[in-house]
Amino acid sequence: MEPGDAARLGLGRAARALPPRLLLLPLLPLLLGRGLRTAAAASSSGAAAEDSSAMEELATEKEAEESHRQDSVSLLTFILLLTLTILTIWLFKHRRVRFLHETGLAMIYGLIVGVILRYGTPATSGHDKSLSCTQEDRAFSTLLVNVSGKFFEYTLKGEISPGKINSVEQNDMLRKVTFDPEVFFNILLPPIIFHAGYSLKKRHFFRNLGSILAYAFLGTAVSCFIIGNLMYGVVKLMKIVGQLSDKFYYTDCLFFGAIISATDPVTVLAIFNELHADVDLYALLFGESVLNDAVAIVLSSSIVAYQPAGLNTHAFDAAAFFKSVGIFLGIFSGSFTMGAVTGVVTALVTKFTKLHCFPLLETALFFLMSWSTFLLAEACGFTGVVAVLFCGITQAHYTYNNLSVESRSRTKQLFEVLHFLAENFIFSYMGLALFTFQKHVFSPVFIIGAFVAIFLGRAAHIYPLSFFLNLGRRHKIGWNFQHMMMFSGLRGAMAFALAIRDTASYARQMMFTTTLLIVFFTVWIIGGGTTPMLSWLNIRVGVDPDQDPPPNNDSFQVLQGDGPDSATGNRTKQESAWLFRLWYSFDHNYLKPILTHSGPPLTTTLPAWCGLLARCLTSPQVYDNQEPLREEDSDFILTEGDLTLTYGDSTVTANGSSGSHTASTSLEGGRRTKSSSEEVLERDLGMGDQKVSSRGTRLVFPLDDNA
């Protein structure tokens, strides 16, 4: 054995004899060194992670701050656009410039700002990486993405065609000024539509009610199907010449016909109002545009709901067709009922509470109830446009009479301002969208075909319907009126809002681009030519809105006089719809006393066994007030006994009966004596003992407590 081996053997034995903890002493420096290095590495790793997290939070805060700044800049842009538009409108009115309307100005300013944003601002973000999800067969509205253990939520913005993957807009500012389409429907459209119903001139509207309903319902349906079929032929032509790059179905063409049939002659009507053009022509155009918008949106919803059975979902199916017709009737009637009920509820609240003592609260409640009608109808699956329109008409007819003097003025001015701002905002956005919208599909063939189709569709319902309406009208719709109505078929805010609401497919994107160009052309060219057209068609201007045009030669001459009052009585007697005369009687005797502080007491109109209910629903002001509120529409609803003519020594009523020289006033067969309210009314109108005379004929008009 070697000495070294003996030494190693002895050391090994000695080591085995030592306690275990003493054996670790020689290894302690090595273990400590390794532990310190591991701890240092862990510490440095934790510090790096904290620094990275802090940097990410700082970057997120900066992005949020930058996004907030861009939001402020985008809203400021539109406010400056409206400000500039208002100042230019003042300048145009001051200089009496009528070749361009305020909406056309707003569109021009929007175009200028759109060009600046499109080509004058640099891209602020780089292209993001595309992730493939080939295993999924549909798009998700919300997506959670796991990035290094952190989950991020993404929302669906829409489909991008493969050819435009590399041209996705990377300018954050352009993205900010592109609004969600629901902003137009839920915020901007309600005040525009409500103001149309709330400011409706009932006298001229209901005098032409039959014609307005024919143009709005039949005319819109005829226009929709004519435009839809013509555009389907254009689409077939595009397919033959190779100009169609994706699917475009017949139902898409009908949908385009529905949305482009929504007329918006705001430019023409503004010029009519400024020049005081013929009141009947104004009423026909205004009434058609108001109801036409409601019909167009319900019609478009019905076309979207058309779902034939079988594999071919775009083929004609009779069952699906009649189902769509039922949907149209259901949506329209449901929306009408909801709007009217909301107006009635508001009238009852303002009648049976003392909100009139607090005009601010009264105005706020009126505003909220009116706006909520639109949202309530949309939430229930109906159409908010129809609901808020008839809510406005109901509010004007009933609730307005219950409001305090301050609230009446406030509500009129409030909705007038909101209507003005919302409408000009939409037209400014139209100009902006021509350059900022990222899904335009320009097709020259489709655009030219659309212009031809809307011209033919407008002509196909204005002239034939006017011919048939003239068969039953005493005061005919003249050729100059028909030409002006044909010329005034502008497209505007409603067509644009319906087109931008859905731009997901290729067909809808082409519709939106075409609609935008049609609105530009009609507002600039047709709107600018309104004044020369009025002169060329010899349509009278400078007319008092309460004055009626001279009667035709074929009218009932015995009841005519040279004064405006006699003309009013004659024309309204001839042209007031019999159905509306029946409605007026029911409304005057029952609904007005229930919902307002005016009208006869219900104790005199309801049966005796309803006495308790009549006393509860009748306002005390009806008994106390010696001067009931004048009903704006009572002066043009005449019954058979409402006209009494004194000719020579005999008295002749409208129904042909004769009597003594003394004329008497009557209302539905009941005799009344002249009350103090009639004397006050005569004094306010400056009538006194004056008589309306014409060719030796004296007309004695009935003076009602509420007329």
Side-chain angles (χ1 to χ4, degrees):
M1 179 181 295
E2 295 293 333
D5 296 337
R8 286 193 295 271
L9 181 59
L11 182 59
R13 291 177 179 174
R16 287 195 296 269
L18 290 174
R21 59 179 178 270
L22 295 179
L23 291 173
L24 295 175
L25 291 176
L27 302 176
L28 187 59
L30 179 60
L31 295 176
L32 286 176
R34 290 181 178 178
L36 290 175
R37 285 193 298 270
T38 303
S43 176
S44 61
S45 175
E50 291 179 0
D51 291 341
S52 177
S53 178
M55 292 297 291
E56 289 181 1
E57 292 179 0
L58 183 61
T60 303
E61 291 178 359
K62 287 184 176 181
E63 289 179 0
E65 183 178 353
E66 180 66 18
S67 177
H68 173 72
R69 186 187 66 82
Q70 291 176 354
D71 288 335
S72 302
V73 171
S74 63
L75 292 177
L76 179 62
T77 301
F78 285 103
I79 291 177
L80 292 178
L81 278 175
L82 293 177
T83 304
L84 186 60
T85 302
I86 291 173
L87 293 176
T88 312
I89 290 171
W90 168 81
L91 180 62
F92 275 36
K93 289 184 179 294
H94 181 67
R95 299 293 182 182
R96 298 184 181 277
V97 177
R98 296 191 180 97
F99 68 87
L100 187 62
H101 187 247
E102 58 198 45
T103 54
L105 284 172
M107 294 173 70
I108 291 176
Y109 290 142
L111 280 172
I112 295 173
V113 174
V115 171
I116 295 174
L117 292 177
R118 179 69 178 178
Y119 301 106
T121 56
T124 55
S125 62
H127 289 278
D128 296 329
K129 182 180 179 181
S130 299
L131 299 178
S132 299
C133 299
T134 55
Q135 296 180 352
E136 303 296 337
D137 57 354
R138 65 183 181 90
F140 297 95
S141 58
T142 303
L143 194 64
L144 293 178
V145 179
N146 185 351
V147 181
S148 301
K150 295 182 179 181
F151 289 89
F152 297 90
E153 181 181 4
Y154 294 85
T155 57
L156 178 66
K157 294 193 65 175
E159 183 181 1
I160 302 173
S161 60
K164 296 184 178 181
I165 287 292
N166 296 324
S167 61
V168 176
E169 183 54 55
Q170 299 300 314
N171 193 323
D172 290 338
M173 189 61 198
L174 292 183
R175 290 179 177 177
K176 292 293 183 182
V177 297
T178 304
F179 284 94
D180 188 340
E182 295 302 317
V183 171
F184 292 95
F185 257 79
N186 296 331
I187 297 178
L188 298 178
L189 274 187
I192 295 176
I193 303 300
F194 181 86
H195 179 263
Y198 194 53
S199 62
L200 184 69
K201 295 180 179 180
K202 294 180 292 182
R203 180 170 181 264
H204 304 295
F205 178 84
F206 287 110
R207 189 169 62 198
N208 298 278
L209 181 63
S211 302
I212 290 173
L213 291 177
Y215 287 127
F217 283 87
L218 291 178
T220 305
V222 169
S223 177
C224 169
F225 283 98
I226 288 179
I227 294 175
N229 284 278
L230 290 176
M231 294 311 299
Y232 187 64
V234 172
V235 168
K236 289 294 186 181
L237 177 63
M238 293 172 61
K239 188 175 182 180
I240 293 174
V241 299
Q243 295 292 321
L244 196 66
S245 59
D246 208 338
K247 297 179 180 178
F248 208 119
Y249 297 106
Y250 178 68
T251 52
D252 294 326
C253 296
L254 287 180
F255 180 81
F256 178 73
I259 64 174
I260 208 65
S261 296
T263 60
D264 186 17
V266 58
T267 304
V268 175
L269 293 178
I271 295 175
F272 278 13
N273 191 44
E274 184 178 353
L275 297 177
H276 299 291
D278 189 282
V279 290
D280 278 335
L281 178 60
Y282 183 95
L284 288 172
L285 278 174
F286 180 78
E288 181 203 5
S289 66
V290 167
L291 295 179
N292 158 280
D293 288 347
V295 174
I297 189 173
V298 179
L299 192 59
S300 63
S301 300
S302 303
I303 293 173
V304 171
Y306 177 78
Q307 293 293 337
L311 297 178
N312 190 355
T313 58
H314 296 276
F316 178 77
D317 187 349
F321 172 77
F322 286 109
K323 181 181 178 181
S324 296
V325 173
I327 291 174
F328 174 86
L329 297 176
I331 292 178
F332 196 93
S333 58
S335 304
F336 165 80
T337 303
M338 187 166 292
V341 167
T342 308
V344 167
V345 170
T346 310
L348 291 173
V349 171
T350 53
K351 176 183 177 180
F352 290 104
T353 61
K354 293 187 177 181
L355 277 172
H356 62 274
C357 298
F358 306 94
L360 179 61
L361 300 180
E362 191 178 36
T363 305
L365 178 67
F366 183 92
F367 174 79
L368 294 176
M369 290 291 289
S370 302
W371 201 306
S372 63
T373 305
F374 184 93
L375 301 177
L376 179 62
E378 292 289 335
C380 294
F382 297 109
T383 301
V385 171
V386 179
V388 79
L389 170 64
F390 288 100
C391 176
I393 296 175
T394 307
Q395 302 277 45
H397 191 59
Y398 297 114
T399 311
Y400 184 80
N401 294 325
N402 300 335
L403 300 178
S404 62
V405 177
E406 293 183 18
S407 295
R408 292 182 185 182
S409 176
R410 285 179 178 178
T411 54
K412 286 283 188 182
Q413 294 174 359
L414 173 64
F415 280 101
E416 185 176 6
V417 171
L418 290 177
H419 163 264
F420 172 81
L421 293 177
E423 193 168 57
N424 281 278
F425 183 93
I426 290 179
F427 279 94
S428 298
Y429 186 80
M430 288 184 196
L432 201 70
L434 188 62
F435 292 96
T436 60
F437 188 72
Q438 301 305 309
K439 300 177 182 178
H440 282 304
V441 177
F442 291 95
S443 175
V445 177
F446 190 86
I447 293 171
I448 295 174
F451 274 100
V452 175
I454 63 173
F455 177 83
L456 295 178
R458 183 75 177 168
H461 85 263
I462 288 294
Y463 295 114
L465 282 180
S466 299
F467 171 78
F468 288 111
L469 290 171
N470 282 337
L471 297 178
R473 285 178 62 105
R474 295 293 185 97
H475 187 76
K476 309 301 182 184
I477 303 175
W479 283 106
N480 57 344
F481 278 23
Q482 296 179 39
H483 295 329
M484 193 67 213
M485 293 180 68
M486 169 68 193
F487 180 80
S488 303
L490 284 76
R491 271 62 176 178
M494 179 57 68
F496 173 78
L498 288 173
I500 200 176
R501 197 174 191 183
D502 182 7
T503 56
S505 65
Y506 168 82
R508 298 299 174 88
Q509 293 166 11
M510 186 182 296
M511 292 180 203
F512 173 73
T513 303
T514 306
T515 301
L516 201 58
L517 295 177
I518 290 174
V519 172
F520 286 166
F521 177 84
T522 55
V523 170
W524 287 339
I525 305 301
I526 298 180
T530 300
T531 303
M533 184 63 68
L534 285 173
S535 176
W536 186 64
L537 293 175
N538 295 321
I539 295 175
R540 62 188 193 136
V541 296
V543 180
D544 185 352
D546 294 326
Q547 178 184 353
D548 293 310
N552 289 347
N553 294 329
D554 58 349
S555 299
F556 187 46
Q557 296 293 333
V558 178
L559 296 180
Q560 292 178 357
D562 292 339
D565 291 337
S566 61
T568 300
N570 177 42
R571 284 172 46 75
T572 55
K573 171 65 184 175
Q574 295 170 355
E575 298 186 11
S576 293
W578 66 269
L579 181 60
F580 185 75
R581 291 202 297 271
L582 294 177
W583 159 256
Y584 170 77
S585 178
F586 175 76
D587 176 66
H588 174 77
N589 293 328
Y590 302 105
L591 294 183
K592 273 291 183 72
I594 292 175
L595 301 177
T596 68
H597 299 297
S598 63
L602 289 172
T603 52
T604 62
T605 57
L606 288 177
W609 56 272
C610 297
L612 179 61
L613 180 63
R615 286 191 295 272
C616 292
L617 295 178
T618 302
S619 173
Q621 298 182 21
V622 174
Y623 302 103
D624 300 337
N625 191 6
Q626 297 300 319
E627 298 179 11
L629 295 174
R630 174 180 172 84
E631 297 183 41
E632 296 179 356
D633 54 353
S634 61
D635 60 346
F636 68 97
I637 304 298
L638 304 178
T639 59
E640 294 296 330
D642 282 341
L643 278 180
T644 304
L645 293 85
T646 302
Y647 189 83
D649 294 332
S650 62
T651 301
V652 181
T653 60
N655 57 14
S657 62
S658 62
S660 62
H661 176 79
T662 306
S664 60
T665 60
S666 61
L667 177 63
E668 297 178 0
R671 295 181 303 169
R672 298 188 299 106
T673 59
K674 201 169 188 178
S675 65
S676 59
S677 62
E678 295 169 356
E679 297 174 356
V680 172
L681 178 60
E682 288 183 358
R683 185 173 64 252
D684 292 340
L685 296 176
M687 295 173 59
D689 296 330
Q690 298 177 3
K691 300 287 191 301
V692 180
S693 301
S694 174
R695 303 187 188 94
T697 302
R698 186 173 74 238
L699 303 182
V700 182
F701 288 89
L703 288 174
D704 195 347
D705 281 342
N706 301 291

